[in-house]
Amino acid sequence: MSRRRKAALALAGLAGGSVVATAIWLGSVLAQLPPIDLVAAEARSAVVLDRAGALLRPFATADGRWRLPLEPAATDPRFLAMLTAYEDRRFRAHPGFDPAALLRAAGQWLVAGRIVSGASTLSMQVARLIEPRGERSLNAKLRQVARAVALERRLGKDGILRLYLALAPYGGPVEGLRAASLAYLGREPTRLTLAEAALLVALPQAPEARRPDRFPQAARRARDRVLDIAAARGVVPAEEAVAAKAEPVPMARKPFPMLAPHAAEAALAQEPGRRVHRLTLDARLQARLEPLAAERAAALGPGLSAAILVVDNATGEVRAQVGSAGYLDMARAGAIDMTAAIRSPGSALKPFVYAMAFEAGLAHPETLIEDRPSRFGASYAPENFDLTFQGTVTARRALQLSLNVPAVELMEAVGPARFIARLRAAGAGIVLPRDAAPGLPVALGGLGITLSDLARLYAGLARGGSVPALRRRLDVPAEPGTVPPRIAEPVAAWYVADSLRGTPPPESALPNRLAYKTGTSYGYRDAWAVGFDRRHTVAVWLGRPDGAGVPGLVGRVAAAPLLFDAVARLGAEPEPVPRPPDALVATTSALPPPLRHLRRDAAAGPADRLRIAYPPDGARIDLGAHEGAPAGLALKALGGTLPLTWLVGGLPVTESDRRQAEWQPDGAGFVRISVLDAAGASDSVMVRIE
């Protein structure tokens, strides 16, 4: 046997013996090591995501570190290819340590008397990150080997990669690839340029010495070395590596994303233990609306803020929530979420007064109503915003022009206490001044409400009167089987929506496209505008968070243009609310006589007041059947001036010269029954047919 063959056999025997000895040693060390504690290692920053998983806002960990979750599948493949080529070429083949690299490093250590090269695999680096040790000794290295093997057995290759991507140091409090990509490049690591990927591969080797925001030249040299090695090992073409070296290195840290900061903070406060919060927001829409709010508030003057809320009518999901004109703008009190602030709505609640009047059969959109100087009670004499009067107008036109006298007249007929009760029953948190009893001024904004509640109520109009609960989280299931409260019956809701669609739009906006209403609170403290179509409701507010008045701050002038610009950023043409099949579309002259004109002077005295004697309000009536045919419902009224017109759901069903009539229901359910007399007086009840 030749000398060379004998030497090779001896070397092979030595290597085999080393492998056996290493396996025995690893088994004994693994048996002695305490269990791996991954709880601290797997601690991540809390992140708030939009409906599609896009990052809205991350939060630092309790110890001030930025450590964001990231899956290998969401990482640029070229980064992973360069990472393994540069750090661990046999990553997919070894059991956690690379025997060849360890033998090389051990030989260098024996010759030099010190550690010359590391031979660390990615698995060993993860072990060191989980159990950091300051010394660089053979014992520490062997412990890393043992831990790496244990980690590989427990987590597999993808688990090792996942931990490396989360824990690798990138300088200062930045840990993990995702945090580094956002901090240094300003975007997610899903798609990176070749130069960017190489930079992020290089930084963990010496994170403090290579930080591009402090040592850009050192970062460039490290990046270029990664590119050279990647090209030499065939991971990237040599010409692409040369071109990548010409790309500049970022020289400053970028801020982490902070979209929808108020919504993100609210989600974290609601569930502080959750690491990933999934909201209903649309990050792209949010990113379009936040600068819009900041721009409009700045144009209106110092100290003003703005808020915008976008609601999906079908689901109640909040698609955008802009709480202020700038979260970090202290001069505008940007940290205050004005979508949740209680403010006076001005005329923004008038549509619900009209809805109740339409529902009760007091009026129709084409009913004539007087806008003239009027006194209600001893001293209340409302005036219009422009101090003029329009004379005789239709209810539709009075609502479109936001006339005050007609709104107060309808409020007097509806009843302020009943109006407030309806709003609260629909889920709105109404606040009255000093808890006073509601009076006629509530029709013009004499109460407090939040932008969120106002948006809900308008979304109810778009949904045929059914008010949705606002849903802000996708990770919390909606309560099944919950029946939404109602703000109006379907026909009355459509009458309001159809009327508001004809409201004159701001300058340069097209008419008859969006149903909307504005409001201005007393003293020019708040400017509101709420608009809706079939799919979305958009509510905006402008004003000072401290409640100070701003001369000239008018809803139609300031808030309406912001509303229309916000709607334009939804990216779809407004669609009208569909008309219910039983809505009465008629001219004034074609209406039943009691609906043609609303007259205050026709009210009868207390003894002769028109009222429904049967069925009583709130009754549950089981009609049953007689000889196979469904029974009719008897209707009876007291007082009033004959003839009487009976209405169900706002539509006339019968006219009678007597105070008794009969109506044939077409099915079970809740119905509102109203009666009008020849003098214009009315009464209504809500009953359930079974």
Side-chain angles (χ1 to χ4, degrees):
M1 184 181 294
S2 67
R3 183 181 301 174
R4 177 176 297 177
R5 184 171 179 77
K6 289 180 181 180
L9 289 173
L11 184 60
L14 178 62
S18 299
V19 170
V20 173
T22 300
I24 295 172
W25 173 82
L26 277 175
S28 64
V29 172
L30 286 173
Q32 298 174 12
L33 286 176
I36 301 173
D37 182 10
L38 293 179
V39 175
E42 292 180 341
R44 303 286 187 273
S45 298
V47 293
V48 181
L49 311 178
D50 85 333
R51 62 186 305 103
L55 182 63
L56 293 170
R57 184 181 179 185
F59 292 85
T61 61
D63 57 356
R65 298 183 178 276
W66 296 96
R67 185 187 288 174
L68 309 184
L70 179 67
E71 294 293 326
T75 306
D76 192 314
R78 290 191 298 183
F79 169 86
L80 295 176
M82 283 195 287
L83 174 67
T84 53
Y86 183 73
E87 294 280 8
D88 192 353
R89 281 186 289 172
R90 287 177 283 275
F91 172 68
R92 290 291 176 181
H94 63 60
F97 69 97
D98 189 339
L102 276 179
L103 288 174
R104 183 197 72 236
Q108 292 173 338
W109 174 71
L110 289 171
V111 172
R114 60 183 176 83
I115 295 178
V116 176
S117 61
S120 288
T121 62
L122 287 174
S123 307
M124 292 168 63
Q125 292 183 47
V126 169
R128 185 176 69 248
L129 291 170
I130 292 176
E131 292 183 331
R133 291 178 174 270
E135 75 272 14
R136 287 171 59 85
S137 64
L138 180 61
N139 183 57
K141 183 65 67 175
L142 293 175
R143 185 182 177 89
Q144 283 179 23
V145 170
R147 279 302 195 199
V149 172
L151 284 169
E152 288 254 356
R153 289 179 178 177
R154 179 171 174 177
L155 303 175
K157 295 295 183 182
D158 287 341
I160 293 293
L161 263 183
R162 189 177 297 109
L163 277 178
Y164 181 85
L165 294 177
L167 302 178
Y170 280 90
V174 179
E175 294 184 358
L177 175 66
R178 191 179 185 188
S181 183
L182 291 167
Y184 295 123
L185 307 176
R187 66 172 178 276
E188 297 277 6
T190 307
R191 292 182 63 86
L192 302 169
T193 68
L194 194 59
E196 291 169 345
L199 175 66
L200 296 175
V201 168
L203 294 184
Q205 293 296 312
E208 294 302 330
R210 296 176 179 176
R211 283 180 59 168
D213 58 332
R214 294 185 178 178
F215 308 105
Q217 293 306 317
R220 177 184 286 275
R221 289 192 296 269
R223 179 201 68 180
D224 292 351
R225 175 170 169 75
V226 172
L227 288 169
D228 288 338
I229 292 175
R233 293 176 179 173
V235 176
V236 299
E239 60 274 13
E240 290 188 22
V242 172
K245 290 181 181 180
E247 189 172 314
V249 168
M251 299 177 65
R253 279 270 306 269
K254 299 182 184 297
F256 284 103
M258 193 181 283
L259 282 173
H262 301 94
E265 285 192 348
L268 192 66
Q270 184 181 7
E271 293 193 62
R274 187 190 288 265
R275 295 295 89 193
V276 179
H277 302 261
R278 193 76 171 269
L279 304 188
T280 60
L281 301 180
D282 181 333
R284 291 179 296 180
L285 177 60
Q286 186 78 24
R288 291 194 289 264
L289 294 182
E290 286 187 6
L292 175 65
E295 171 191 326
R296 291 304 173 85
L300 288 172
L304 273 84
S305 190
I308 305 174
L309 204 69
V310 180
V311 178
D312 182 293
N313 293 332
T315 63
E317 294 177 350
V318 177
R319 294 301 174 86
Q321 178 181 335
V322 182
S324 69
Y327 180 75
L328 300 177
D329 191 341
M330 296 180 62
R332 301 180 188 277
I336 300 177
D337 182 4
M338 296 307 299
T339 67
I342 297 174
R343 311 289 290 214
S344 170
S347 297
L349 285 179
K350 286 179 182 175
F352 305 101
V353 180
Y354 281 79
M356 290 186 67
F358 294 154
E359 180 183 282
L362 295 170
H364 178 275
E366 302 307 322
T367 297
L368 297 178
I369 191 167
E370 299 299 324
D371 179 41
R372 304 180 187 279
S374 302
R375 186 175 299 276
F376 298 84
S379 59
Y380 187 47
E383 297 178 327
N384 289 321
F385 186 80
D386 60 2
L387 302 181
T388 65
F389 294 93
Q390 299 295 315
T392 303
V393 295
T394 62
R396 179 190 304 274
R397 190 61 176 163
L399 178 57
Q400 292 170 351
L401 297 180
S402 194
L403 302 178
N404 286 342
V405 173
V408 174
E409 186 170 343
L410 289 175
M411 175 61 80
E412 184 180 49
V414 167
R418 185 176 168 200
F419 176 72
I420 296 299
R422 175 69 69 88
L423 296 182
R424 286 174 171 164
I430 301 299
V431 177
L432 296 174
R434 303 180 186 89
D435 294 325
L440 294 179
V442 298
L444 309 183
L447 50 77
I449 192 172
T450 67
L451 187 70
S452 293
D453 279 345
L454 195 62
R456 285 185 62 230
L457 295 176
Y458 273 86
L461 293 176
R463 288 160 47 104
S466 171
V467 179
L470 293 188
R471 188 175 178 218
R472 291 180 164 89
R473 304 189 67 118
L474 284 180
D475 49 25
V476 176
E479 295 184 11
T482 303
V483 178
R486 301 198 68 85
I487 191 61
E489 295 302 312
V491 171
W494 182 79
Y495 284 159
V496 172
D498 187 57
S499 298
L500 291 178
R501 195 159 171 256
T503 302
E507 292 183 7
S508 75
L510 296 176
N512 300 314
R513 296 166 66 84
L514 183 70
Y516 86 103
K517 183 72 181 72
T518 61
T520 305
S521 67
Y522 178 78
Y524 303 101
R525 293 179 173 88
D526 309 274
W528 308 73
V530 188
F532 62 93
D533 70 344
R534 182 181 65 83
R535 292 172 298 186
H536 296 99
T537 295
V538 182
V540 308
W541 169 90
L542 286 161
R544 289 180 60 97
D546 60 8
V550 181
L553 186 68
V554 177
R556 184 174 294 276
V557 176
L562 175 58
L563 168 67
F564 275 72
D565 283 346
V567 170
R569 281 158 173 77
L570 296 180
E573 290 294 320
E575 296 183 14
V577 175
R579 185 178 76 187
D582 49 353
L584 175 61
V585 179
T587 62
T588 302
S589 60
L591 292 175
L595 283 178
R596 294 175 188 172
H597 201 295
L598 185 69
R599 299 190 300 272
R600 290 182 63 209
D601 56 359
D608 298 325
R609 181 178 63 86
L610 176 66
R611 60 192 184 279
I612 296 176
Y614 188 85
D617 190 31
R620 299 164 67 96
I621 302 171
D622 185 1
L623 294 180
H626 300 280
E627 299 181 356
L633 176 63
L635 307 174
K636 183 177 181 180
L638 298 176
T641 303
L642 297 176
L644 303 181
T645 301
W646 293 88
L647 305 95
V648 175
L651 294 177
V653 294
T654 184
E655 185 172 337
S656 174
D657 290 329
R658 300 185 304 155
R659 288 182 171 79
Q660 295 183 4
E662 185 175 287
W663 166 63
Q664 184 70 58
D666 56 5
F670 287 97
V671 294
R672 180 167 295 279
I673 300 173
S674 306
V675 63
L676 292 93
D677 70 1
S682 68
D683 190 26
S684 66
V685 296
M686 175 72 77
V687 299
R688 179 171 179 172
I689 306 296
E690 297 179 342

